[in-house]
Amino acid sequence: MAATTYQRVKRGPGWIVLAVVVVALMAYGVGRTDGRLSPAERVESISKRLACPVCDGESVFESRNTASNAIRNEIEVQVAGGVASDDEIITFIEQRYGGQVLLVPKAEGVDALVWILPVVAAVAGVTGLALVFRTWQRAGTGSVTDDDRALVERALRDERGARDDHDEPER
Amino acid sequence: MTAASINGVLGHSALMVGLVASLFGALALGYATVTGDRRLMRTAPNYAWLAGAAGVLASAVMLHALLTYDFDLQYVQDVGSRSTPTLYNIAALWSALEGSILLWLFVLAGYTAVLMRRYRQRLDDPLIAWTLVVMFVVSAFFFFLAFGPTDVFATGAPGVTDGPGPNPLLQNHILVMFHPPILYLGYVGFTVPFAFAMAALITGRVGEGWLLETRRFALVVWGFLSIGILLGGWWSYEVLGWSGVWAWDPVENASFLPWLTGTAYIHSVLVQERRGMLRVWNISLLVATFALTILGTFLTRSGVINSVHAFADGTIGPWLLGFFGVIVVVSLGLIGWRGDRLRSPGAIDSPVSREGAFLANNVIFTVFAFVVLLGTVFPLIVEALQDRRIAVGQPFFDRLTMPIGLVLLFLMAVAPVLPWRKASGELLRDRLFVPAVVGAISLAVAVAVGADQWASLTAFALGGFAAGAAGRQLALATRRQGWRGLVGRANGGMIVHLGIILIAVALAASNGYTRVAEFTMRVGEPVAFDGHTFELLGIEEFETERSQGLKAQVSIDGGQAYAPALTRFLNMGTDIGTPSVRTGFTKDIYLTLEQATEAGATEAQIKVFIKPMILWMWIGGGLVAIGTVLAAFPGRRRRNPIAPVSAAAGADVPPAGADASAERDEPEGVHV
């Protein structure tokens, strides 16, 4: 008896309740913060977007050499000043140290390709998938040769012996 | 002096023997297969044993040279040192380019010998013969690389009696013993499925036979690669001192790219086994996986991309790039040549089916791989086009891969409950209800403990959803079959899913909610941060033969003291920080010593990271390993694996054997 109630819950009402709960939890979770970062967290997130100018492939955040320390101090000063936005601070440091300190390419010129191509790839992938599904669904009823039929029958015999015989493959 | 030349001579000879044996093996086996010469064919195993022995000998000689401080060899001069502990002298075998090529050879020649041993009675089967020919050819290339361009056993400058030892970062944690070999077992191991795919193309037997030969193997090497990558992350966490596990560094990406395509493969292969479809696609994925291992090696070992752990060397670049080109051209040529046979007859009934989910999975993994590859090589492209240096770093990858990861989690939730062929909305509502409840509970817990960003909340909810789906499948399977419900590919796969979900959720938690602060701590003045107190107890000095350093004793919450250190290696001149971590089930407290003046000082700069859920990443890794083993374990076979099934001849009549699957649960997947 309980199982049938459960079945009915699963069919519709349960899902509605779940959806409401999830949306409410998400809204409450996301809504209770103003998204502001502490100064230390801002310094961290900015220094992760900048490359150490003298070492290979490390961010200012990871690296411990003098040049990175200098940049980090610069960021701390600017963050403590509280006027400049993250992007402004990064532009400031870029002007001082040159474009290769940027770890996140700008969306300008050739560099924009690094942002555009993934989107193109994703769109192409989804489109391709949709096309493939359509073609295959249409191709659904392919022609079946006698060889195929023989193969299926042989396999079925092997597999099930004489256990049952009502379930023949299609004519 | 004499002993030294013995190592060099022995090493050179081993490589030469390996090269010749691999070439002869390829020629003999290939020629014998074409002409049907049985006697010649029977000689082929000897070449595999010989090449395998040569691979072992070359590594053993280098190890011997390192352990006996044979400073006449250039490699020992580069990475050997009399004062390095034995353990790290062993690890020095793979701590630079030349040694890593030896490790590659060791694994590759080993796999060739293992394959030969397993199949030596079946060499008259052209599929097997050509597989081994491909293995011989690849081995020959790497023996050549080690012998010629890299010249692993080159003699160094005379008169050197000691060396700097390996990079200091590679000699302060036990994981350097395990991460590279395990990673290579997976990374190099994908050569084997690739060789089978090539053989299938060469022989024209592109049906399912070669898949069945390799499926267990592909799973096992995938497991090694996964664990190897994860151990690398663990090492980074324990050693590098920036408290992260993954930096999207080119070398990391080089190992991650084949993992992505390999993961796509072990999923889509199920569609081919079951439905006979995706033949070209599966072969292409294996080609891509193998080609990406070579391309990754080129990118990181040729000096074109600089990164923290790239071993730059200009001489091998052109060879690796050339080999990559040959692989791509030959593979594409073969696929084109066999195009007619590769066209598979199957059809898909509905996108909302397990095969539909596998296809979606493949598209997502391919896009994922594309994004990672693009980010890795983009600086090269810009430099080639505009002669301008730019960097593409962690924030780029984080931003683009996060949505991909979320979509994958969603798919992990839905796919396992989908039946083959097609699913109705009702069936989905029914089967997904419990997983959705688990997802909602997981979200509620996340909100309760304070998570507040939409991306991480979504990750926690989807993680719960996916874990619910995997757990449901396992529960159904074990209810029906007892402990056997944990064994076999579909069930073991669900355990792997649980592991991956744990890793994903732990990553989301630690990326989103790490708290950092840097303090100038003074003895006797506890500092409070994020609900914990930290007190500097003192600064100690320590010294070994090759390094000296300072250790800060910091007590956490008035309890046990943890000792982050700063070490100066005498012959390197740079300071290496060693973090100290208090591990817990909910969070790790990660301390690094940023600055300290001298022993006995009463003040030190200490950085504190509070990182949630890190431990679960390693537990997830354990589950991945266990799940892979269970998946590779032979499950109960209820049907002939190559019996034709579901060959959608008539749209609505389910073929016998798959009859009730749409109504009833099918946790065993392929075994039903």
Side-chain angles (χ1 to χ4, degrees):
Chain A
M1 272 298 118
T4 51
T5 324
Y6 178 49
Q7 290 296 339
R8 239 179 291 136
V9 167
K10 283 205 282 188
R11 221 162 274 152
W15 282 98
I16 296 169
V17 173
L18 267 184
V20 171
V21 168
V22 166
V23 169
L25 283 171
M26 286 294 278
Y28 173 72
V30 177
R32 67 185 158 175
T33 167
D34 56 359
R36 293 267 286 278
L37 300 173
S38 72
E41 286 163 342
R42 267 190 78 191
V43 172
E44 185 189 323
S45 88
I46 295 173
S47 64
K48 276 181 177 164
R49 290 166 62 184
L50 292 166
C52 155
V54 293
C55 31
D56 292 327
E58 278 183 294
S59 68
V60 169
F61 176 69
E62 293 158 54
S63 137
R64 275 140 205 272
N65 61 35
T66 348
S68 297
N69 282 335
I71 295 182
R72 207 163 22 231
N73 290 339
E74 193 64 61
I75 301 172
E76 275 164 18
V77 170
Q78 300 262 347
V79 166
V83 188
S85 73
D86 288 10
D87 289 340
E88 282 164 359
I89 297 177
I90 285 187
T91 315
F92 173 77
I93 289 178
E94 185 201 347
Q95 280 161 2
R96 274 197 149 182
Y97 290 84
Q100 64 199 69
V101 294
L102 293 184
L103 268 183
V104 186
K106 290 183 175 168
E108 291 168 3
V110 179
D111 295 9
L113 280 179
V114 82
W115 299 104
I116 297 168
L117 288 179
V119 178
V120 172
V123 171
V126 172
T127 319
L129 194 61
L131 285 178
V132 160
F133 279 138
R134 274 188 49 178
T135 334
W136 271 334
Q137 264 176 295
R138 247 186 245 144
T141 38
S143 55
V144 182
T145 65
D146 288 342
D147 282 351
D148 295 338
R149 261 187 258 280
L151 183 67
V152 170
E153 255 162 60
R154 210 165 45 240
L156 287 176
R157 256 202 313 279
D158 287 353
E159 178 158 325
R160 317 204 300 174
R163 192 164 57 89
D164 62 19
D165 49 5
H166 64 275
D167 224 345
E168 285 300 320
E170 230 213 346
R171 285 151 279 125
Chain B
M1 193 59 209
T2 44
S5 14
I6 285 176
N7 280 328
V9 169
L10 264 180
H12 271 125
S13 322
L15 293 177
M16 193 68 208
V17 168
L19 174 58
V20 172
S22 302
L23 281 177
F24 273 43
L27 290 174
L29 196 51
Y31 182 75
T33 307
V34 172
T35 59
D37 184 339
R38 291 272 174 139
R39 278 218 344 246
L40 186 56
M41 189 171 282
R42 274 196 293 274
T43 65
N46 299 328
Y47 296 115
W49 314 147
L50 204 55
V56 172
L57 183 65
S59 298
V61 167
M62 187 56 92
L63 194 60
H64 179 253
L66 281 165
L67 293 178
T68 56
Y69 312 116
D70 178 358
F71 285 102
D72 282 9
L73 290 185
Q74 180 65 45
Y75 187 71
V76 182
Q77 289 187 8
D78 291 342
V79 301
S81 151
R82 290 182 192 276
S83 53
T84 305
T86 309
L87 187 71
Y88 298 114
N89 252 331
I90 296 174
L93 183 59
W94 44 77
S95 68
L97 172 76
E98 292 84 355
S100 71
I101 299 265
L102 279 183
L103 180 61
W104 190 306
L105 265 180
F106 178 86
V107 174
L108 183 60
Y111 274 134
T112 310
V114 168
L115 270 189
M116 183 60 91
R117 199 183 136 61
R118 179 160 169 205
Y119 289 117
R120 64 191 185 285
Q121 310 294 352
R122 285 174 56 188
L123 287 179
D124 49 350
D125 179 345
L127 183 77
I128 302 296
W130 284 111
T131 302
L132 283 156
V133 170
V134 175
M135 293 298 292
F136 276 132
V137 169
V138 180
S139 304
F141 173 75
F142 276 95
F143 273 114
F144 166 74
L145 209 57
F147 185 81
T150 321
D151 199 4
V152 175
F153 289 96
T155 311
V160 177
T161 54
D162 204 352
N167 183 330
L169 287 173
L170 298 180
Q171 43 177 318
N172 61 0
H173 201 282
I174 182 77
L175 278 172
V176 295
M177 289 299 290
F178 300 104
H179 158 59
I182 291 180
L183 186 78
Y184 269 44
L185 280 174
Y187 198 72
V188 179
F190 269 107
T191 314
V192 176
F194 165 78
F196 268 97
M198 288 293 101
L201 287 172
I202 295 169
T203 58
R205 280 165 49 194
V206 294
E208 281 61 63
W210 69 274
L211 279 186
L212 298 170
E213 297 292 349
T214 56
R215 58 181 190 178
R216 190 160 300 151
F217 198 91
L219 261 184
V220 170
V221 293
W222 179 89
F224 278 126
L225 186 57
S226 312
I227 299 305
I229 291 173
L230 202 69
L231 288 177
W234 197 1
W235 173 81
S236 154
Y237 180 72
E238 297 283 347
V239 170
L240 292 183
W242 61 280
S243 92
V245 293
W246 192 260
W248 297 106
D249 167 283
V251 178
E252 294 170 345
N253 294 350
S255 66
F256 192 50
L257 281 167
W259 185 86
L260 289 170
T261 50
T263 309
Y265 169 76
I266 58 173
H267 287 94
S268 68
V269 73
L270 293 165
V271 179
Q272 185 175 347
E273 276 178 29
R274 181 81 182 194
R275 307 287 307 255
M277 307 172 72
L278 305 183
R279 287 175 178 174
V280 184
W281 180 244
N282 281 323
I283 287 175
S284 309
L285 279 177
L286 284 178
V287 171
T289 304
F290 181 63
L292 283 170
T293 62
I294 303 295
L295 182 69
T297 312
F298 162 71
L299 289 176
T300 54
R301 298 288 185 258
S302 66
V304 293
I305 286 183
N306 290 323
S307 92
V308 194
H309 49 343
F311 317 137
D313 180 333
T315 51
I316 68 165
W319 291 103
L320 284 167
L321 194 61
F323 190 52
F324 170 75
V326 169
I327 294 162
V328 172
V329 169
V330 169
S331 310
L332 289 182
L334 282 172
I335 291 174
W337 177 48
R338 290 297 187 192
D340 53 330
R341 302 204 191 195
L342 284 166
R343 211 161 296 134
S344 41
I348 275 188
D349 304 288
S350 159
V352 190
S353 61
R354 190 169 300 178
E355 49 270 51
F358 281 136
L359 283 179
N361 149 309
N362 272 238
V363 168
I364 299 166
F365 270 106
T366 312
V367 171
F368 201 154
F370 175 77
V371 169
V372 175
L373 183 62
L374 179 72
T376 311
V377 300
F378 196 70
L380 289 181
I381 299 174
V382 171
E383 197 171 348
L385 288 179
Q386 301 189 331
D387 200 21
R388 180 167 60 88
R389 289 184 65 96
I390 69 158
V392 178
Q394 194 166 5
F396 166 84
F397 291 101
D398 285 345
R399 219 175 280 176
L400 286 184
T401 55
M402 189 263 290
I404 300 178
L406 292 180
V407 176
L408 281 174
L409 275 178
F410 175 76
L411 209 55
M412 274 170 110
V414 177
V417 311
L418 287 172
W420 293 93
R421 296 175 60 83
K422 62 169 133 191
S424 65
E426 174 143 7
L427 176 135
L428 282 182
R429 278 202 298 274
D430 181 55
R431 292 187 181 176
L432 284 175
F433 189 73
V434 173
V437 170
V438 178
I441 292 172
S442 152
L443 175 63
V445 171
V447 169
V449 298
D452 56 3
Q453 295 150 16
W454 75 265
S456 41
L457 283 173
T458 312
F460 297 137
L462 287 176
F465 192 23
R472 176 180 176 277
Q473 299 301 103
L474 286 171
L476 287 170
T478 45
R479 197 186 299 161
R480 199 172 304 152
Q481 309 169 44
W483 66 271
R484 275 204 156 271
L486 298 175
V487 177
R489 215 163 21 159
N491 303 320
M494 285 303 115
I495 295 173
V496 174
H497 272 200
L498 286 176
I500 298 285
I501 293 161
L502 271 184
I503 294 170
V505 169
L507 272 176
S510 63
N511 283 349
Y513 300 99
T514 293
R515 310 272 328 264
V516 204
E518 195 169 327
F519 299 98
T520 308
M521 293 189 188
R522 292 186 185 82
V523 174
E525 294 175 25
V527 178
F529 176 58
D530 204 36
H532 295 276
T533 56
F534 303 89
E535 185 179 354
L536 182 66
L537 301 179
I539 310 258
E540 289 164 16
E541 200 171 33
F542 62 91
E543 201 166 343
T544 69
E545 240 181 289
R546 66 220 152 89
S547 65
Q548 59 185 40
L550 295 173
K551 226 189 296 193
Q553 296 286 348
V554 179
S555 113
I556 299 178
D557 296 333
Q560 198 193 328
Y562 289 81
L566 213 48
T567 312
R568 171 157 295 172
F569 283 77
L570 300 174
N571 43 25
M572 286 285 182
T574 42
D575 288 348
I576 303 292
T578 305
S580 180
V581 188
R582 188 179 96 174
T583 302
F585 280 103
T586 54
K587 60 187 167 191
D588 279 15
I589 297 176
Y590 188 104
L591 302 175
T592 58
L593 177 60
E594 299 292 307
Q595 226 169 26
T597 46
E598 58 188 350
T602 54
E603 192 180 282
Q605 282 289 106
I606 309 269
K607 205 165 186 177
V608 181
F609 299 77
I610 311 269
K611 301 191 69 81
M613 286 193 76
I614 289 286
L615 181 62
W616 292 95
M617 216 176 298
W618 322 134
I619 294 176
L623 276 183
V624 170
I626 293 168
T628 309
V629 171
L630 290 173
F633 205 81
R636 192 185 336 175
R637 185 156 294 154
R638 280 193 263 149
R639 50 175 275 268
N640 176 0
I642 52 167
V645 279
S646 307
D652 281 317
V653 180
D659 40 17
S661 63
E663 281 76 52
R664 148 166 82 69
D665 271 294
E666 204 187 341
E668 273 232 315
V670 291
H671 300 295
V672 172

